[in-house]
């Protein structure tokens, strides 16, 4: 049937439109999921590269370049937030709205096609009634015709009785009346059908088609508006994203290479003075070689007790020189080893006595060696094993020590201010309690006030102590020699153990104290200059063992005392100067005359 076909086509088309709408909803939903995933990945990326709190990384972010990178990470976090906004807006303005609209559209479509099918069924019913009335009228007409013919036949037959003729006439009249009634009914049904058909084709069906058309047009408009919203949601965040990018550009432009370089200088400036010139050594004279006190070897002179770089000693050290070979250069005795005791027979000395005239290796050769070797600083072994440094930071170079002490003073002053603020708040609370006893007991805060007072007094004493150390180090710095040196004896007396915590580590092998307090330029070994290397270093490996053939009193710098018959470890062979470097334990090592010991080198060490 023609109209039925059109209804089927319209039904298929409108269903296709709903499918398109649902497909677009699915597309937008997947886009929002991508935006959320992208935002999450950006946030994780920003979080991954954020500096960890209370770590070394956090200290690195004081430079302009790293601060710019941190600003970039923060802006990327905001950038990710805008993608989350895109996802939220698309979900609320497009996905949710279209999903609700699709449900309404399906209901409306169902209603329109139900009305169309109902109208179609009604017109079909009317058509069937018309056909039935028509067939009945046709049958009655045929029956009336046959009755009339039968009556005429009976009336013409002379043999038929009058009664039979009358009966045939009445039957013909009855059939004729029935045909008239059928005709009237058929006529009425036909008029009614024509009216219904006109109403169907010119009123009901056009209205239903119009509603379906309006519904389809609304769907098309709605999907177009959703596509426009799709673009607007993106466009709305573009200004904010642009601001994020502008902030990143601004942070990049704030990078100051000069400032960063100056910060590195300030951070690692040690306060040490460079060493003086090395004096000429005249090998044409048989007399003992002399070395300037200002040279790298820093030998003793004028009978003064100089710092010794033995197992427990510390001394002035130029921070750019590797420690290990420097010790070998500076602490190897500057005189030939003594001959073995006269009572001993030469056969008892397997290595044989070394000639006193045998010269050491050239200074340039040793300088090249210690510039390529790993440092070994005995004073830092406690730090390596996790121990804390001295309270007064005496293990640091002067400038670094001054900065650490200043930071400590500032930190203590901030703590004092916090305690004072707490005390002031409690005092006010106590006044309120005194004026209004119903609000609380004034005596309940007295204990806390007393505790705060004690804390403040302790912190002030700590500040005085650290200020004393700060005054001491400021008086020692060469660049600050014109400033009056402040006395720190009072503070040192308050905490003598803190000031002298490393005193035992600054003794030479023969027991003399090596640090001269009168020399402002002579400071302790700089810890920070070697911290990075020291974390991964191990003491020099042993290459063999040795047995002391004679007792040796190590009174020169860099030497170590041994007793006859004592077994020790060898860590450095005789390099031609008549001295062998040995170790007693982890904290004691030094040089002894090669002729005083019997050396047993390991095979692997010899091969190496």
């Amino acid at each position: 049937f023609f109209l039925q076909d059109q209804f089927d086509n319209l039904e298929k088309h409108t269903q296709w439109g709903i499918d398109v709408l649902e497909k677009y909803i699915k597309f937008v939903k997947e886009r929002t999921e991508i935006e959320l995933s992208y935002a999450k990945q950006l946030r994780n990326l920003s979080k991954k590269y954020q500096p960890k709190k209370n770590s070394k990384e956090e200290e690195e972010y004081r430079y302009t370049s790293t601060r710019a990178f941190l600003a970039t990470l923060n802006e990327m976090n905001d950038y990710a937030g805008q993608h989350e906004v895109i996802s939220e807006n698309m979900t609320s303005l497009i996905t949710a709205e279209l999903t609700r609209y699709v449900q309404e559209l399906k209901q409306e479509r169902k209603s329109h096609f139900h009305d169309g099918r109902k109208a179609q069924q009604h017109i079909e019913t009317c058509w069937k009634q018309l056909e039935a009335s028509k067939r009945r009228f046709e049958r009655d007409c045929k029956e009336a015709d046959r009755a009339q013919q039968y009556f005429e036949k009976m009336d013409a037959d002379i043999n038929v009785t009058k009664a039979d003729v009358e009966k045939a006439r009445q039957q013909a009249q009855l059939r004729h009346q029935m045909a008239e009634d059928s005709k009237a009914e058929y006529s009425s049904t036909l008029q009614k059908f024509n009216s219904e058909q006109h109403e169907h084709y010119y009123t009901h069906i056009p209205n239903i088609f119009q509603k379906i058309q309006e519904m389809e047009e609304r769907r098309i408009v709605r999907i177009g508006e959703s596509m426009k919203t799709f673009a607007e949601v993106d466009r709305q965040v573009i200004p904010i994203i642009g601001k994020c990018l502008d902030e990143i550009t601004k942070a990049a432009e704030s990078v100051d290479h000069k400032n960063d370089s100056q910060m590195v200088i300030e951070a690692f400036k040690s306060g040490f003075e460079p060493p003086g010139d090395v004096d000429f050594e005249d090998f044409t004279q048989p007399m003992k070689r002399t070395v300037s006190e200002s040279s790298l070897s820093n030998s003793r002179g004028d009978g003064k007790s100089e710092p010794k770089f033995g197992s427990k000693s510390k001394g002035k050290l130029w921070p750019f020189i590797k420690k290990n070979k420097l010790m070998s250069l500076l602490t190897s005795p500057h005189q030939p080893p003594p001959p073995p005791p006269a009572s001993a027979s030469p056969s008892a000395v397997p290595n044989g006595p070394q000639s006193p005239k045998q010269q050491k290796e050239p200074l340039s050769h040793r300088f090249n060696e210690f510039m390529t070797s790993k440092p070994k600083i005995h004073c830092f072994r406690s730090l390596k094993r996790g121990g804390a440094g001295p309270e007064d930071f005496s293990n640091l170079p002067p400038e670094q020590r001054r900065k650490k002490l200043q930071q400590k003073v500032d930190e203590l002053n901030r703590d004092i201010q916090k305690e004072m603020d707490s005390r002031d708040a409690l005092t006010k609370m106590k006044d309120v309690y005194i004026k209004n006893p119903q609000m609380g007991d004034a005596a309940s805060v007295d204990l806390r006030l007393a505790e705060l007072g004690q804390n403040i007094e302790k912190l002030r004493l700590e500040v005085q102590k650290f200020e004393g150390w700060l005054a001491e180090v400021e008086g020692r710095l060469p660049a600050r020699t014109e400033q009056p040196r402040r006395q720190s004896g009072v503070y040192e007396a308050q905490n003598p153990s803190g000031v002298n915590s490393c005193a035992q580590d600054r003794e030479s092998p023969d027991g003399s104290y090596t640090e001269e307090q009168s020399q402002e330029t002579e400071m302790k070994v700089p810890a920070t200059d070697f911290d990075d290397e020291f974390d991964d270093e191990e003491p020099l490996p042993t290459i063999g063992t040795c047995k002391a053939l004679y007792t040796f009193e190590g009174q020169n710098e860099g030497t170590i005392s041994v007793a006859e018959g004592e077994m020790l470890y060898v860590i450095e062979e005789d390099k031609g100067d008549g001295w062998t470097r040995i170790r007693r334990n982890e904290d004691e090592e030094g040089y002894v005359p090669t002729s005083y010991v019997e050396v047993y080198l390991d095979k692997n060490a010899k091969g190496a």
Side-chain angles (χ1 to χ4, degrees), residues 138 189 269 296 363 378 411 456 502 550 583:
E138 182 181 7
T189 304
K269 183 169 61 177
L296 282 175
L363 180 62
H378 296 281
E411 180 182 346
I456 293 172
C502 284
Y550 313 102
R583 177 185 297 151

Side-chain angles (χ1 to χ4, degrees), residues 419-478:
E419 296 291 325
M420 291 178 67
D421 292 342
S422 300
R423 185 180 64 180
D424 293 343
L426 284 176
T427 303
K428 292 179 181 179
M429 184 183 296
K430 182 178 179 181
D431 293 341
V432 172
Y433 287 170
I434 292 175
K435 294 177 182 179
N436 302 286
Q438 68 276 10
M439 296 184 66
D441 184 11
S444 61
V445 297
D446 288 340
L447 181 62
R448 178 59 180 160
L449 284 173
E451 182 181 346
L452 288 174
Q454 293 176 0
N455 292 343
I456 293 172
E457 188 61 28
K458 290 179 181 178
L459 290 172
R460 283 175 176 168
L461 291 175
E462 287 289 314
V463 169
Q464 292 176 2
K465 179 173 65 175
F466 279 95
E467 284 180 345
W469 287 331
L470 183 61
E472 176 186 356
V473 74
E474 285 178 348
R476 283 186 173 190
L477 286 174

